[in-house]
Amino acid sequence: MTRTYIKELYVDPAAFSGRQVTVRGWARTVRDGKNVGFIELNDGACQKNCQIVLSRGDVAEYDGIVHCGVGAALTVSGEVVLTPEMRQPFELHAAKVEVDGASLPSYPLQKKRHSPEFLREIAHLRPRTNLFGAVFRIRSQAAFAIHKFFNERGFVYVHTPIITGSDCEGAGAMFRVTTLEPGEKDITKDFFGKRAALTVSGQLDVETFAMAFSNVYTFGPTFRAENSNTARHAAEFWMIEPEMAFCDLSGDMDVAEAMVKSVAEYVHETCAYEVDFLTERVCPELNARFEALKGGEFVRLTYTRAVEILKDAVAAGKKFEYPVEWGCDLQSEHERYLTETVYKKPVFLTDYPKGIKAFYMRLNDDGKTVAAADLLVPGIGELIGGSQREERLDVLEARMAECGLKAEDYGFYTDLRKYGGCVHSGFGLGFERLIMYLTGVANIRDVIPFPRTVGNLEF
Ligand code: 4AD
Ligand code: MG
């Protein structure tokens, strides 16, 4: 018995007409019409189901099969019959059905639509819904597209460590890693003999490789212990961090823009059905979002200019929850106003005040702003955070002191400036935020298999 995936049947149903095939999957619906039964089978290789028709006269154990229960795992052999007049282009007329694993009546996924909140409570079963089928096939294609993008451009993929002794963002929002028992305080007795934590970013590590390979990227899990209970923050998320030697901020934005467009194009090409499904069910503007990404350049705007635009909006009557002043960190509502209302497309905001950005960003000649670029996109807000790095040793050391960082913790980082430092830039793309953007799903909890957020560590 060779297994045929349902996807293959949909590619060219006519080629299978009259042929015997075996499909395997899970029953999405089971209907018993007494002498004829109908099962919608899904095998996950594509979004669409295969309609199975079984007649009491043709299959042994008819009654057992139609009572296998929604969710049951089945192996079905039979003949492909074209049904051009029906909603689905073909059916499988079963000759033999094996119940690999029956399902109980308590199976929580019924034919009706379930709320995302309910589905989070059954995160182990939600991959079997249409919504999660679409989201996670897109997530997989997007991950591949990212590797493809960088690989085709000669970037070297670097695996930066997950456990770290340094804090990249200088934010103190790290999860500690320890083997000490509660009450044991002597850090020298700890596994590493010093404080250790889960990484918040692979940037500082990957910069060391950029100073050898020129163009590199890391793509892996990162962890933040920030207490932000929002729809766009997770405690564990994946980040893509390219780093390019001999590249300034403008080159950095070129790479970021090309990458977002290229990944979107690949996803649209390979997951057109999923994108249509999500456009219909989740986010009406999704298809248009993909179309818009094909043309049009992203906007590039300084932070200072953005603050002026926001203040003008306030003067004209626009109400924001948080005030806007030069020097303040922009809130999500401000970011979304710029990208959704003013420009209606992705916007790079550049040259932020140094006070709200990390120590490693290159100080601009004005002495007040740094060469940072965040990419804001409609529906999400911040998708990418990047910058040109400070390559001047004296300026970097002064900034570190200003930020209260101990020079001895960053010896390797300052070494890069002593031994052949050069202009270099990079950025970090939050992978889950990208998936939210490409699926229209509004909550980060619904684009991660098992989300980790404040107060939530289920599954
Ligand atoms: O802006 P961030 O903090 O930048 C960095 O970590 C830099 N070291 C990146 C670099 O230059 N190599 O984070 C980068 C991106 C954000 O733009 C956002 O998309 C995502 O990571 N991100 C989160 N995504 C989900 N949950 C969180 N708690 C996130 N925090 C940041
Ligand atoms: Mg940021």
Side-chain angles (χ1 to χ4, degrees), residues 138-159:
I138 287 178
R139 186 175 165 122
S140 171
Q141 293 296 352
F144 178 76
I146 282 162
H147 287 301
K148 182 171 178 289
F149 175 84
F150 286 117
N151 187 276
E152 285 172 0
R153 281 160 187 76
F155 281 61
V156 172
Y157 175 30
V158 181
H159 301 101

Side-chain angles (χ1 to χ4, degrees), residues 327-347:
C328 76
D329 213 350
L330 296 183
Q331 298 295 322
S332 175
E333 56 174 346
H334 306 132
E335 298 177 339
R336 293 185 59 169
Y337 178 77
L338 291 167
T339 181
E340 287 165 27
T341 308
V342 182
Y343 293 104
K344 301 185 173 62
K345 54 154 99 175
V347 177

Side-chain angles (χ1 to χ4, degrees), residues 357 374 382 385:
K357 288 293 184 190
D374 280 8
E382 182 187 334

Side-chain angles (χ1 to χ4, degrees), residues 77-271:
S77 303
E79 182 188 335
V80 178
V81 177
L82 299 187
T83 53
E85 72 290 352
M86 312 274 272
R87 201 164 47 89
Q88 70 278 355
F90 61 87
E91 304 173 333
L92 187 65
H93 288 195
K96 187 169 171 232
V97 179
E98 255 172 77
V99 180
D100 295 84
S103 177
L104 297 174
S106 54
Y107 187 62
L109 294 170
Q110 298 306 321
K111 187 143 175 75
K112 65 171 184 133
R113 279 189 207 176
H114 298 285
S115 72
E117 290 78 16
F118 170 72
L119 291 173
R120 272 172 226 150
E121 292 169 17
I122 50 164
H124 57 308
L125 295 173
R126 66 180 186 171
R128 299 195 207 176
T129 62
N130 282 330
L131 175 65
F132 287 86
V135 168
F136 286 93
R137 269 187 299 275
I138 287 178
R139 186 175 165 122
S140 171
Q141 293 296 352
F144 178 76
I146 282 162
H147 287 301
K148 182 171 178 289
F149 175 84
F150 286 117
N151 187 276
E152 285 172 0
R153 281 160 187 76
F155 281 61
V156 172
Y157 175 30
V158 181
H159 301 101
T160 50
I162 306 255
I163 300 176
T164 177
S166 74
D167 172 359
C168 170
E169 297 302 298
M174 302 183 91
F175 288 101
R176 283 194 61 192
V177 173
T178 178
T179 53
L180 291 179
E181 295 297 327
E184 280 184 89
K185 293 238 158 52
D186 185 356
I187 197 82
T188 62
K189 301 248 161 57
D190 203 350
F191 189 89
F192 298 104
K194 60 185 273 196
R195 281 176 80 90
L198 295 177
T199 186
V200 294
S201 160
Q203 179 196 324
L204 302 193
D205 305 300
V206 94
E207 274 188 56
T208 66
F209 274 68
M211 291 299 122
F213 294 89
S214 281
N215 296 321
V216 297
Y217 72 106
T218 168
F219 183 0
T222 48
F223 307 86
R224 302 215 177 166
E226 50 199 349
N227 195 357
S228 333
N229 209 342
T230 78
R232 346 173 280 147
H233 287 87
E236 175 178 322
F237 63 98
W238 284 58
M239 189 151 55
I240 295 99
E241 296 184 275
E243 193 71 33
M244 290 84 70
F246 306 103
C247 174
D248 65 7
L249 190 67
S250 149
D252 200 33
M253 288 187 278
D254 292 343
V255 174
E257 180 165 344
M259 183 196 68
V260 170
K261 286 179 174 169
S262 155
V263 173
E265 195 181 322
Y266 187 81
V267 164
H268 203 198
E269 242 171 62
T270 56
C271 303

Side-chain angles (χ1 to χ4, degrees), residues 17 54 86 120 143 187 199 221 228 255 276 351 361 394 423-424:
S17 179
L54 61 161
M86 312 274 272
R120 272 172 226 150
I187 197 82
T199 186
S228 333
V255 174
D276 285 344
D351 305 292
M361 298 190 182
D394 52 335
V423 166
H424 64 290

